[in-house]
PDB file of all heavy atoms in Angstrom:
ATOM      1  N   LEU N 176     -63.035 -69.931 -22.364  1.00  0.00           N
ATOM      2  CA  LEU N 176     -62.327 -70.641 -23.457  1.00  0.00           C
ATOM      3  C   LEU N 176     -62.587 -69.975 -24.790  1.00  0.00           C
ATOM      4  O   LEU N 176     -61.682 -69.795 -25.606  1.00  0.00           O
ATOM      5  CB  LEU N 176     -62.807 -72.120 -23.494  1.00  0.00           C
ATOM      6  CG  LEU N 176     -62.176 -72.976 -24.619  1.00  0.00           C
ATOM      7  CD1 LEU N 176     -60.685 -72.995 -24.476  1.00  0.00           C
ATOM      8  CD2 LEU N 176     -62.770 -74.376 -24.575  1.00  0.00           C
ATOM      9  N   MET N 177     -63.851 -69.545 -24.995  1.00  0.00           N
ATOM     10  CA  MET N 177     -64.206 -68.865 -26.238  1.00  0.00           C
ATOM     11  C   MET N 177     -63.427 -67.525 -26.354  1.00  0.00           C
ATOM     12  O   MET N 177     -62.908 -67.193 -27.429  1.00  0.00           O
ATOM     13  CB  MET N 177     -65.694 -68.630 -26.351  1.00  0.00           C
ATOM     14  CG  MET N 177     -66.493 -69.904 -26.562  1.00  0.00           C
ATOM     15  SD  MET N 177     -68.268 -69.691 -26.462  1.00  0.00           S
ATOM     16  CE  MET N 177     -68.575 -68.570 -27.801  1.00  0.00           C
ATOM     17  N   ALA N 178     -63.382 -66.775 -25.255  1.00  0.00           N
ATOM     18  CA  ALA N 178     -62.662 -65.507 -25.254  1.00  0.00           C
ATOM     19  C   ALA N 178     -61.162 -65.718 -25.513  1.00  0.00           C
ATOM     20  O   ALA N 178     -60.536 -64.949 -26.259  1.00  0.00           O
ATOM     21  CB  ALA N 178     -62.870 -64.767 -23.955  1.00  0.00           C
ATOM     22  N   TRP N 179     -60.588 -66.772 -24.926  1.00  0.00           N
ATOM     23  CA  TRP N 179     -59.195 -67.080 -25.126  1.00  0.00           C
ATOM     24  C   TRP N 179     -58.933 -67.446 -26.576  1.00  0.00           C
ATOM     25  O   TRP N 179     -57.894 -67.069 -27.138  1.00  0.00           O
ATOM     26  CB  TRP N 179     -58.778 -68.209 -24.208  1.00  0.00           C
ATOM     27  CG  TRP N 179     -57.325 -68.595 -24.379  1.00  0.00           C
ATOM     28  CD1 TRP N 179     -56.224 -68.014 -23.792  1.00  0.00           C
ATOM     29  CD2 TRP N 179     -56.808 -69.642 -25.220  1.00  0.00           C
ATOM     30  NE1 TRP N 179     -55.097 -68.631 -24.195  1.00  0.00           N
ATOM     31  CE2 TRP N 179     -55.413 -69.636 -25.089  1.00  0.00           C
ATOM     32  CE3 TRP N 179     -57.399 -70.577 -26.051  1.00  0.00           C
ATOM     33  CZ2 TRP N 179     -54.588 -70.528 -25.749  1.00  0.00           C
ATOM     34  CZ3 TRP N 179     -56.596 -71.496 -26.721  1.00  0.00           C
ATOM     35  CH2 TRP N 179     -55.191 -71.454 -26.578  1.00  0.00           C
ATOM     36  N   THR N 180     -59.849 -68.200 -27.186  1.00  0.00           N
ATOM     37  CA  THR N 180     -59.702 -68.605 -28.561  1.00  0.00           C
ATOM     38  C   THR N 180     -59.636 -67.395 -29.501  1.00  0.00           C
ATOM     39  O   THR N 180     -58.856 -67.369 -30.457  1.00  0.00           O
ATOM     40  CB  THR N 180     -60.857 -69.516 -29.018  1.00  0.00           C
ATOM     41  OG1 THR N 180     -60.936 -70.627 -28.117  1.00  0.00           O
ATOM     42  CG2 THR N 180     -60.716 -70.005 -30.443  1.00  0.00           C
ATOM     43  N   VAL N 181     -60.437 -66.402 -29.221  1.00  0.00           N
ATOM     44  CA  VAL N 181     -60.499 -65.170 -30.044  1.00  0.00           C
ATOM     45  C   VAL N 181     -59.294 -64.303 -29.791  1.00  0.00           C
ATOM     46  O   VAL N 181     -58.696 -63.736 -30.766  1.00  0.00           O
ATOM     47  CB  VAL N 181     -61.773 -64.404 -29.749  1.00  0.00           C
ATOM     48  CG1 VAL N 181     -61.773 -63.049 -30.461  1.00  0.00           C
ATOM     49  CG2 VAL N 181     -63.021 -65.226 -30.190  1.00  0.00           C
ATOM     50  N   ALA N 182     -58.888 -64.162 -28.545  1.00  0.00           N
ATOM     51  CA  ALA N 182     -57.774 -63.248 -28.188  1.00  0.00           C
ATOM     52  C   ALA N 182     -56.867 -63.841 -27.100  1.00  0.00           C
ATOM     53  O   ALA N 182     -56.971 -63.418 -25.963  1.00  0.00           O
ATOM     54  CB  ALA N 182     -58.329 -61.876 -27.769  1.00  0.00           C
ATOM     55  N   PRO N 183     -56.061 -64.842 -27.430  1.00  0.00           N
ATOM     56  CA  PRO N 183     -55.262 -65.496 -26.391  1.00  0.00           C
ATOM     57  C   PRO N 183     -54.279 -64.593 -25.675  1.00  0.00           C
ATOM     58  O   PRO N 183     -54.019 -64.801 -24.480  1.00  0.00           O
ATOM     59  CB  PRO N 183     -54.524 -66.616 -27.190  1.00  0.00           C
ATOM     60  CG  PRO N 183     -54.557 -66.166 -28.600  1.00  0.00           C
ATOM     61  CD  PRO N 183     -55.820 -65.397 -28.745  1.00  0.00           C
ATOM     62  N   PHE N 184     -53.721 -63.581 -26.338  1.00  0.00           N
ATOM     63  CA  PHE N 184     -52.782 -62.707 -25.696  1.00  0.00           C
ATOM     64  C   PHE N 184     -53.446 -61.711 -24.783  1.00  0.00           C
ATOM     65  O   PHE N 184     -52.806 -61.096 -23.923  1.00  0.00           O
ATOM     66  CB  PHE N 184     -51.896 -61.991 -26.710  1.00  0.00           C
ATOM     67  CG  PHE N 184     -50.987 -62.936 -27.440  1.00  0.00           C
ATOM     68  CD1 PHE N 184     -51.248 -63.290 -28.753  1.00  0.00           C
ATOM     69  CD2 PHE N 184     -49.898 -63.478 -26.784  1.00  0.00           C
ATOM     70  CE1 PHE N 184     -50.405 -64.183 -29.385  1.00  0.00           C
ATOM     71  CE2 PHE N 184     -49.053 -64.365 -27.452  1.00  0.00           C
ATOM     72  CZ  PHE N 184     -49.300 -64.735 -28.754  1.00  0.00           C
ATOM     73  N   ARG N 185     -54.753 -61.477 -24.948  1.00  0.00           N
ATOM     74  CA  ARG N 185     -55.455 -60.548 -24.093  1.00  0.00           C
ATOM     75  C   ARG N 185     -56.021 -61.263 -22.856  1.00  0.00           C
ATOM     76  O   ARG N 185     -56.005 -60.771 -21.763  1.00  0.00           O
ATOM     77  CB  ARG N 185     -56.608 -59.875 -24.837  1.00  0.00           C
ATOM     78  CG  ARG N 185     -57.293 -58.768 -24.022  1.00  0.00           C
ATOM     79  CD  ARG N 185     -58.359 -58.047 -24.817  1.00  0.00           C
ATOM     80  NE  ARG N 185     -59.440 -58.940 -25.068  1.00  0.00           N
ATOM     81  CZ  ARG N 185     -60.381 -58.762 -26.009  1.00  0.00           C
ATOM     82  NH1 ARG N 185     -60.305 -57.702 -26.803  1.00  0.00           N
ATOM     83  NH2 ARG N 185     -61.361 -59.607 -26.190  1.00  0.00           N
ATOM     84  N   VAL N 186     -56.504 -62.519 -23.065  1.00  0.00           N
ATOM     85  CA  VAL N 186     -57.115 -63.269 -21.982  1.00  0.00           C
ATOM     86  C   VAL N 186     -56.032 -63.966 -21.152  1.00  0.00           C
ATOM     87  O   VAL N 186     -56.087 -63.962 -19.922  1.00  0.00           O
ATOM     88  CB  VAL N 186     -58.174 -64.278 -22.503  1.00  0.00           C
ATOM     89  CG1 VAL N 186     -58.757 -65.108 -21.398  1.00  0.00           C
ATOM     90  CG2 VAL N 186     -59.259 -63.533 -23.257  1.00  0.00           C
ATOM     91  N   GLY N 187     -55.064 -64.637 -21.789  1.00  0.00           N
ATOM     92  CA  GLY N 187     -53.909 -65.161 -21.107  1.00  0.00           C
ATOM     93  C   GLY N 187     -54.035 -66.574 -20.531  1.00  0.00           C
ATOM     94  O   GLY N 187     -53.058 -67.166 -20.161  1.00  0.00           O
ATOM     95  N   SER N 188     -55.270 -67.080 -20.363  1.00  0.00           N
ATOM     96  CA  SER N 188     -55.443 -68.425 -19.807  1.00  0.00           C
ATOM     97  C   SER N 188     -56.685 -69.045 -20.449  1.00  0.00           C
ATOM     98  O   SER N 188     -57.618 -68.332 -20.855  1.00  0.00           O
ATOM     99  CB  SER N 188     -55.605 -68.367 -18.303  1.00  0.00           C
ATOM    100  OG  SER N 188     -55.846 -69.640 -17.767  1.00  0.00           O
ATOM    101  N   VAL N 189     -56.712 -70.371 -20.517  1.00  0.00           N
ATOM    102  CA  VAL N 189     -57.853 -71.033 -21.128  1.00  0.00           C
ATOM    103  C   VAL N 189     -59.024 -71.252 -20.170  1.00  0.00           C
ATOM    104  O   VAL N 189     -60.104 -71.611 -20.572  1.00  0.00           O
ATOM    105  CB  VAL N 189     -57.460 -72.427 -21.761  1.00  0.00           C
ATOM    106  CG1 VAL N 189     -56.475 -72.188 -22.881  1.00  0.00           C
ATOM    107  CG2 VAL N 189     -56.875 -73.345 -20.702  1.00  0.00           C
TER     108      VAL N 189
END
Side-chain angles (χ1 to χ4, degrees):
L176 179 59
M177 290 172 63
W179 179 84
T180 303
V181 172
F184 292 106
R185 187 176 68 198
V186 177
S188 177
V189 296

